[in-house]
Amino acid sequence: MTNTAGTIRTTASPTASPTAPGVHPSVEQIVGALRDAGDRVVLRHPDGETTGGELLALVHRYARALASLDIGPGDIVAQYGPNRPDALAVRYATHLIDAGAVYLSAPPGADRRARQLEQIDPALVVVFPQTAHWLPATAAPVVAVGPVEGVPRRLDELAAAQSSEPFASRSHLSDLGTVLSSGGTTGIPKSSVRDVAAWAAAVATPHRPERRQLASGAEAYLTQILVAQTIIGGGTVVLRDDSEPAALLEQIEAEGITDLFLVEPQLVALMDHPDLARRDLSTLRTLTHIGASAPPTLRRRARARLGPVVAHTYGASEMGIVSALRPAEYDPDDPGRATSAGRVLPGVEVRFRRSAASGTDGALDPEFGTIEVRSPAMAHGYRNRPGEQAEHFVDGWYRTGDLGRLDAEGYLHILGRAADCAVVDGRLVTPTGVEDTLMRTDAVRYAVCVVDGDRRVVAVQAWDGAGIDPQTCRDAVAGEHGEAVAASLVVVPVDDVPLTEQGKPDRAAILAHAPS
């Protein structure tokens, strides 16, 4: 039913809120899980392995070290954190003393990183030997964990002199808890803010001691939720610094990995890799692709090659996970599931706003609209970005800017950014739809469509031994989406789709490859 504001609203089946009375701050759950783990290995990483007791001792020492620097409630400790135990220990110690914690992303350009730090306004910046090259000029105090040239103050040495006895939690649910940094692929990264209660909801997870989570990437900000959930759930985390497909496949086999999250280009690289056939992936229970809706053709290929373990989720740093399409529901041969992001999670509310600005006013099925989300796990706003906060966080709802719909079975469908979708000659045209059309041609292995004004610039990667013919691509698009859409197509053959540090398609780099 559409109200006068032009909004259609649907609510997930009600459940108890993860932040209801009796739920504790996430750091207290982590401390309890590490204490229970004792001598059991909870982290495997490039430097070795770490038991629950060893990580817990580090957390207590770093908590005392940070407290000795007068860090406390309302302060933010920012890290250029690698996937290493000390980065996790500093993070959990920050929560323990009731300060706010942020793992920084590292967008290209020292000027952008400097402005990111200026907007976050941290009380302390922590760098490591692996990440010190990302540190820009900043007025904030800087400390190092390990030897870093130009940073004489060593937080790890200060922590080593502290006691490892339990440090009583000072964390309060209503205080500043976590700042999540976006990747900043098109500008200065936005940093969304959560209190301790909202972060507890974001990392809430069932007890899963059998879980062996592979968390890949050079930056801790990419894996922070996965790591926290696995520790809280009693599982084991395997950390690695990259997402190179042959190495991932080898590690799944060697470590008995049960769970893995990949962004779409990483999924493509993994499922098309020649080592896939010779690796034993029988321990894998869930391989979730995130960051894009993935065209049906791509989903069918993933299911055929990886088996009934593929899953998909929809979410963002500002709102957490909104919906999940679990392996048992993942059926790319079913037209109703082939474009689905799954069912809305319990406790999450989703509504759809119809407006001329979104291209949905009167032109589509009334279930379509731009997506707005409300949940206990979502952020409360942006750190020192009042204009964008006012635009996206409105009356307790987060306006995603994505176009979507809910089908009769309760499955959420994400069509893309509303600004990138258009009704042309009475048909809805989306980047995912164009990509799917191209990937059904014989030559195209992978395609990424970026809308740039009245152009649709498509980076197209060919199968080995094949060549990309732009006219064949335009003909295929004309047959499904019309001549006007085909005329807007700019085909950019690439050996490899340009990627951001997160592994997502680099929209700016793709446009830079296109002829003017």
Side-chain angles (χ1 to χ4, degrees), residues 83-435:
N83 268 328
R84 291 295 188 278
D86 278 275
L88 293 172
V90 172
R91 171 62 177 266
Y92 302 147
T94 302
H95 290 313
L96 207 55
I97 64 171
D98 201 30
V102 56
Y103 281 139
L104 295 161
S105 61
D111 57 333
R112 289 165 66 184
R113 296 194 295 274
R115 289 189 60 191
Q116 175 191 29
L117 277 178
E118 182 182 350
Q119 289 177 358
I120 292 175
D121 189 24
L124 190 69
V125 180
V126 185
V127 296
F128 296 74
Q130 301 97 322
T131 64
H133 60 285
W134 289 324
L135 179 68
T138 177
V142 180
V143 296
V145 173
V148 172
E149 184 178 355
V151 184
R153 200 170 193 185
R154 293 279 296 273
L155 185 63
D156 56 325
E157 293 179 346
L158 180 59
Q162 308 296 321
S163 168
S164 62
E165 290 298 307
F167 185 98
S169 172
R170 301 175 182 175
S171 185
H172 293 90
L173 292 174
S174 60
D175 288 346
L176 172 65
T178 299
V179 179
L180 282 188
S181 179
S182 71
T185 56
T186 57
I188 309 304
K190 296 187 290 291
S191 301
S192 56
V193 180
R194 285 171 173 80
D195 61 21
V196 173
W199 184 245
V203 299
T205 190
H207 186 61
R208 280 191 59 199
E210 78 286 355
R211 180 174 179 176
R212 292 182 67 82
Q213 177 73 55
L214 179 53
S216 61
E219 299 167 76
Y221 99 96
L222 298 171
T223 59
Q224 56 190 302
I225 291 180
L226 297 177
V227 173
Q229 288 181 327
T230 306
I231 291 175
I232 289 171
T236 303
V237 181
V238 178
L239 301 169
R240 65 172 298 110
D241 293 333
D242 61 64
S243 298
E244 199 279 320
L248 289 181
L249 290 167
E250 180 182 8
Q251 199 147 35
I252 292 170
E253 179 181 65
E255 298 282 358
I257 297 300
T258 62
D259 293 82
L260 175 62
F261 277 64
L262 296 175
V263 292
E264 183 184 283
Q266 294 168 346
L267 173 67
V268 173
L270 186 85
M271 70 185 183
D272 289 347
H273 197 276
D275 284 358
L276 181 69
R278 70 182 187 88
R279 292 296 181 186
D280 179 3
L281 308 184
S282 59
T283 60
L284 200 60
R285 295 291 174 265
T286 306
L287 194 163
T288 305
H289 62 89
I290 58 176
S293 58
T297 299
L298 202 59
R299 295 190 187 204
R300 282 191 289 271
R301 199 158 91 225
R303 178 64 179 252
R305 296 188 176 184
L306 294 164
V309 299
V310 187
H312 177 50
T313 61
Y314 169 64
S317 59
E318 294 91 342
M319 57 187 177
I321 301 299
V322 173
S323 65
L325 185 67
R326 307 187 191 282
E329 303 171 298
Y330 195 101
D331 184 2
D333 292 323
D334 180 339
R337 306 277 180 87
T339 59
S340 170
R343 296 183 186 274
V344 176
L345 297 182
V348 179
E349 295 176 274
V350 174
R351 68 185 186 182
F352 304 89
R353 181 174 296 273
R354 289 165 55 77
S355 69
S358 69
T360 63
D361 188 30
L364 301 171
D365 182 290
E367 292 284 326
F368 280 89
T370 53
I371 299 170
E372 301 182 2
V373 173
R374 180 168 65 183
S375 83
M378 66 179 268
H380 310 303
Y382 291 121
R383 177 83 170 173
N384 294 327
R385 301 279 285 258
E388 284 141 314
Q389 177 167 313
E391 178 185 356
H392 289 282
F393 293 88
V394 181
D395 297 330
W397 292 82
Y398 175 68
R399 295 184 173 181
T400 68
D402 293 331
L403 185 66
R405 68 180 180 89
L406 197 76
D407 68 22
E409 293 184 274
Y411 287 95
L412 182 65
H413 297 258
I414 312 299
L415 292 97
R417 301 182 188 189
D420 294 342
C421 302
V423 176
V424 181
D425 296 331
R427 289 179 286 192
L428 177 66
V429 180
T430 69
T432 304
V434 171
E435 293 162 359

